[in-house]
Amino acid sequence: TISVLAPLPLVFLDPEKTWTGLVACAIWTVLIHQVFSNIVEPRLLATTLNLHPITVLVSLAFWTLCWGAAGAVLSTPLTCILQLTMSRIDHPV
């Protein structure tokens, strides 16, 4: 949110910009931010980390309940560590 709203005062203070320019700047930054946050980043995380998006959401909920905001920030790395640890353990057949 801060990265989207931070440039708007600079655009507003530009004497050559019109209200349509200000609105266009706000709409484009929000649109680009939403597309990358909701489409591009989850797909990249899913392919590079080998985690299903539902797994990421469940781990986010679990670690947030356990540790609050710190758990929310660390949820994906902790889940990746757990997945790697579990894949390295020899399971009896």
Side-chain angles (χ1 to χ4, degrees), residues 33-91:
H33 179 71
Q34 290 300 318
V35 166
F36 274 89
S37 294
N38 295 320
I39 296 172
V40 175
E41 285 180 8
R43 288 180 191 249
L44 285 175
L45 285 175
T47 57
T48 58
L49 298 177
N50 253 356
L51 291 175
H52 194 274
I54 300 298
T55 305
V56 174
L57 291 175
V58 170
S59 71
L60 175 68
F62 174 75
W63 291 112
T64 303
L65 283 173
C66 290
W67 292 346
V73 171
L74 296 173
S75 64
T76 303
L78 288 172
T79 305
C80 286
I81 290 170
L82 184 65
Q83 178 192 22
L84 288 172
T85 304
M86 297 301 282
S87 69
R88 301 281 189 237
I89 295 175
D90 292 330
H91 298 287

Side-chain angles (χ1 to χ4, degrees), residues 11-34:
V11 174
F12 182 71
L13 293 174
D14 186 6
E16 297 177 3
K17 289 288 182 186
T18 61
W19 283 101
T20 56
L22 178 66
V23 171
C25 180
I27 288 174
W28 279 109
T29 54
V30 168
L31 180 69
I32 292 170
H33 179 71
Q34 290 300 318

